[in-house]
Amino acid sequence: MSALPRVAMVSGGNRGIGLAIVRELLAHGWRVSVGTRSATDAFDGHDPAQVRAYRFDAEDARSETDWVAATVRDFGGIDALVHNAGILSTRSVIDADDAEVDRLLEVNVKSPLRLTRKAWPHLLAADEGKVLVMASLAAKRVRTADASLYALSKAAVLSLAHGIRHCGAESRVRCTALCPGFVATDMAAGLPPEQQRQTTRPEDVARIARTVLELPASASVAEIPISWTVEPQY
């Protein structure tokens, strides 16, 4: 396929960080295939040749297969895959039952793994394929017991991103993990008002995401921590 206009698949692209990434990419000439679990009117009025929404449910492996196939059918290929969909847990690794652990890992880890496998042949066929994984600063440190189960899943996501990066080394498919802290989305709704005013904006993350996706393969970036405040990195 030609290098431009490039095609990106973005999971969870109908709200929050995902929607900001979709809008950022569209504003800079990308075509975008949006995966969303529920119907959305976020793209009504847009040219379907530029952006389309498809059913994607991280707990339904068949929807992953169908989404990849529909993207290739309607857009002609895949240049980038953005793993943004995910769920939150506020349970500790001790308190959570097996069902919650399994669901968190299914949505946050196993689905991105399966989706990458299914899109891989098309990423290899692109001029310079890209995978962007939305991890979290929680992947890099555990601050409280209540955040520990979520952190476990995001640490696995971060390792997945590094694994994908190594798998694409020879083929020039590049993978980057974005690791934001609190972002002004629904997930940060419980923060104190003063902190909510200071948190990273979805649009900030989207700008970084686009920059990474547009870097040449000769500039491989493994991970980018993003925080609304200065904090020690360890």
Side-chain angles (χ1 to χ4, degrees), residues 8-215:
M9 294 178 65
V10 180
S11 68
N14 61 320
R15 57 200 287 264
I17 294 173
L19 179 57
I21 291 174
V22 172
R23 287 172 171 165
E24 177 75 13
L25 293 178
L26 288 173
H28 289 82
W30 286 72
R31 293 180 292 157
V32 186
S33 171
V34 181
T36 174
R37 189 167 61 174
S38 56
T40 178
D41 60 1
F43 311 109
D44 287 359
H46 287 267
D47 183 351
Q50 295 300 120
V51 59
R52 293 191 185 194
Y54 301 88
R55 179 182 177 274
F56 163 69
D57 185 339
E59 296 181 87
D60 178 4
R62 178 58 186 268
S63 74
E64 299 160 358
T65 302
D66 292 346
W67 181 26
V68 169
T71 300
V72 174
R73 178 195 68 213
D74 295 338
F75 290 98
I78 302 167
D79 295 280
L81 177 59
V82 179
H83 294 300
N84 171 73
I87 56 175
L88 179 66
S89 172
T90 57
R91 303 290 294 276
S92 77
V93 292
I94 299 301
D95 294 335
D97 59 23
D98 285 355
E100 184 170 1
V101 173
D102 290 345
R103 182 166 187 254
L104 200 68
L105 294 178
E106 180 71 19
V107 173
N108 289 0
V109 184
K110 293 177 67 177
S111 180
L113 171 58
R114 291 192 302 260
L115 193 55
T116 303
R117 287 173 178 163
K118 293 167 183 178
W120 196 252
H122 308 290
L123 293 169
L124 292 175
D127 289 341
E128 290 189 344
K130 296 288 175 59
V131 181
L132 187 66
V133 178
M134 195 62 62
S136 170
L137 282 180
K140 302 177 71 63
R141 76 284 193 274
V142 182
R143 291 217 163 152
T144 66
D146 289 348
S148 58
L149 181 60
Y150 179 71
L152 182 154
S153 74
K154 287 300 185 178
V157 168
L158 183 57
S159 291
L160 172 63
H162 283 283
I164 295 169
R165 189 170 68 92
H166 283 286
C167 289
E170 299 304 320
S171 62
R172 296 173 68 81
V173 174
R174 299 294 183 247
C175 181
T176 300
L178 294 191
C179 301
F182 284 118
V183 179
T185 66
D186 293 345
M187 283 190 178
L191 294 176
E194 182 179 348
Q195 191 169 331
Q196 287 192 37
R197 287 192 292 270
Q198 299 179 67
T199 52
T200 304
R201 315 309 295 177
E203 294 79 12
D204 301 332
V205 180
R207 288 176 62 191
I208 296 170
R210 180 180 61 82
T211 298
V212 169
L213 293 177
E214 292 181 349
L215 288 174

